[in-house]
Amino acid sequence: MKYLCLVYSEEERLHSLPDSPADAECQAYAESVAGSGRMLAAEALEPVSSATTVRMRGGKVTITDGPFAETKEQLAGFYLLDAQNLDEALEVAAGIPAARVGSVEVRPIRQLRV
Amino acid sequence: MMASASGQVQHELEEIYRAESRRVLATLIRLLGDFELAEEALHDAFAAALKQWPAEGLPNNPRAWLVSTGRFKAIDRLRRQARQDPLTDAMAQQLEAETADPADWAEDRVEDDHLRLIFTCCHPALSMDARVALTLREVCGLTTEEIASAFLSAPATLAQRIVRAKNKIRSAAIPYRVPVRRDLPERLDGVLRVIYLVFNEGYSASTGDNLMRTDLSGEAIRLGRQLNGLLPGAEVQGLLALMLLTESRRKARIDDAGELVLLEDQDRKLWDRKMIVEGIELVRRALRSHGFGPYSLQAAIAAVHAEAPCAEETDWREIVGLYDVLLRLAPSPVVELNRAVALSMRDGPDVGLNLIEAILERGELSDYHLAHAARADLYRRLGMSRQAITAYKKALSLALQTTERQFLQRRLLELAG
């Protein structure tokens, strides 16, 4: 099973709370997950102020500044995992350092029926 | 002669269904990897038994027969579906190859399956409502209609809730297993919460006309017993004791007119002695072992009440002491409130009242009808009728349950008269 762990946090506070992780800690955790053989990919994201949203409607592309929706917490990074089951994925998700200040949404990857 | 022999088999089959169907289901879910498929297989297996057993007699090991037949029927079912969906043929082949070893459904693995089923139905990735519904459906074997009527919801709503939970188990791959040792205490706590919630809904329904719903309390106690057999531990014993000691007062809690009777006014001769003896023994064992927690302590408090020959002889010092420990172990405003009431019994209503006023001022319990009812009762004891009436009215405005509302209205009438 593959799972995508979406790390959400208030961008303003992600790096400024007493519990906020430093980049070195995030890097170390990613390496430890990679070492366990469960990681397919993991990245941190630039702030949503750098986001651009694209839509295709009636054959026409519209491009707008900003994220697709204004939310209180923003997507700050992700882990793509390969795990036996949800419990394993949840265990990895709970260890993501940003989970201490934000929330991690764990979503199973859907197999395309082709 | 023939008729009575087959009647006998039918009777035994019903007994086996009652005793074994949930365990057969639990093993089938492990073998087949799917709730829906396992339920159909269970149904098919019992249908086959109903046809074969009266003619051929009971098999040596009915449970193994049912699991084996259910597995075979499931593979057969998948094969037949393969005409529409080629994917299911691969599933059938895989099942046939991977589950062929009869050692897989041997006696010693069945207990594990039963635990697996309980832990999966109570998985924290499911909503509390879904956990309760799924546990009652799959572990206790209640029908959707029975669960819906117990929770006063529409059967269609409940059925949808169960389907959604099963879909999540499948699509998110919630594992079918007993949690690893590290996660066990937390997960077990989640299971106990589900059982206690079912019990409370049965003992003291939050809404509706009937204060108590026997069937749900009975199911919760049965579940508690099963869990205690499978995974004995201090808090499992504590919860079972708490449920038994609470349940023992059922008959005394409602009078002939259907009105609520408070603990202090209950006729203690109506208390169920057998449950009390069993409950007290379980509390003793729980408190002696390591790892006792909030359930054991609440059970110990219930045991002190159970041991008092009359309300006046209740050992309130002991109860306050137990609440002190409980508050340290599991602090909550409701525990604080209960401790304040116990203190008022030990040291006088004014002492308790000061504490309750302080708790209410913090705001967390301002919508909790029992907090206002407790406050009202202490004013009443102090002879301060005006304040008591105001507090009872507040409690009445928040209470939803018919019998509790009647009680509050009665108190208001007494004070007005």
Side-chain angles (χ1 to χ4, degrees), chain A residues 1 3 84-88 90-91 106 108-109 113, chain B residues 85 87 123 125 168 171-175 177 182 187:
Chain A
M1 282 286 291
Y3 296 88
Q84 281 291 319
N85 52 48
L86 184 65
D87 280 359
E88 263 191 37
L90 292 176
E91 190 191 329
V106 180
I109 298 295
R113 290 175 74 89
Chain B
D85 183 359
L87 261 179
H123 198 281
K168 180 162 185 188
S171 61
I174 291 177
R177 66 165 193 197
R182 186 168 27 106
R187 289 288 171 84

Side-chain angles (χ1 to χ4, degrees), chain B residues 156-292:
Chain B
T157 314
L158 219 110
Q160 199 185 27
R161 191 177 294 161
I162 291 173
V163 167
R164 229 184 274 142
K166 284 182 193 161
N167 285 344
K168 180 162 185 188
I169 290 173
R170 191 185 312 123
S171 61
I174 291 177
Y176 193 59
R177 66 165 193 197
V178 177
V180 293
R181 185 179 292 272
R182 186 168 27 106
D183 294 340
L184 194 59
E186 212 186 316
R187 289 288 171 84
L188 182 61
D189 194 53
V191 173
L192 297 180
R193 269 221 314 280
V194 169
I195 298 177
Y196 195 38
L197 201 143
V198 171
F199 178 80
N200 273 328
E201 195 57 33
Y203 190 76
S204 179
S206 49
T207 54
D209 291 342
N210 292 320
L211 183 66
M212 301 192 272
R213 297 194 200 119
T214 321
D215 38 356
L216 282 185
S217 305
E219 284 304 330
I221 289 174
R222 220 158 60 94
L223 259 175
R225 278 191 208 286
Q226 285 175 356
L227 192 62
N228 193 37
L230 293 165
L231 203 68
E235 278 293 84
V236 181
Q237 286 165 351
L239 174 60
L240 182 55
L242 176 60
M243 293 193 293
L244 286 165
L245 290 166
T246 311
E247 181 73 7
S248 72
R249 299 183 212 135
R250 175 182 289 278
K251 273 205 196 107
R253 197 162 165 249
I254 300 285
D255 66 14
D256 294 337
E259 307 250 7
L260 185 68
V261 185
L262 290 188
L263 183 60
E264 59 189 70
D265 302 321
Q266 288 175 10
D267 177 0
R268 295 179 181 223
K269 285 194 294 296
L270 294 175
W271 288 2
D272 186 319
R273 285 291 138 194
K274 225 178 110 207
M275 285 191 201
I276 289 176
V277 169
E278 189 188 355
I280 288 175
E281 175 54 30
L282 282 162
V283 177
R284 289 221 172 97
R285 246 186 291 157
L287 292 182
R288 267 202 307 268
S289 56
H290 290 292
F292 72 81

Side-chain angles (χ1 to χ4, degrees), chain B residues 14-34:
Chain B
E14 278 164 24
E15 286 288 296
I16 289 169
Y17 186 83
R18 248 193 304 281
E20 301 285 3
S21 72
R22 295 300 110 189
R23 288 194 267 189
V24 172
L25 177 72
T27 300
L28 285 172
I29 294 173
R30 170 167 59 82
L31 293 176
L32 304 174
D34 186 276

Side-chain angles (χ1 to χ4, degrees), chain B residues 288-320:
Chain B
R288 267 202 307 268
S289 56
H290 290 292
F292 72 81
Y295 291 116
S296 309
L297 286 166
Q298 291 175 79
I301 292 165
V304 177
H305 285 298
E307 281 173 328
C310 59
E312 292 72 36
E313 285 180 54
T314 308
D315 187 347
W316 289 106
R317 283 168 55 101
E318 178 79 17
I319 289 179
V320 172

Side-chain angles (χ1 to χ4, degrees), chain B residues 348-354 375-385 387-388:
Chain B
D350 47 335
V351 178
L353 192 57
N354 286 337
R375 180 163 165 261
D377 186 55
L378 294 180
Y379 275 127
R380 187 182 61 89
R381 282 167 199 248
L382 288 167
M384 299 163 76
S385 301
Q387 289 90 335

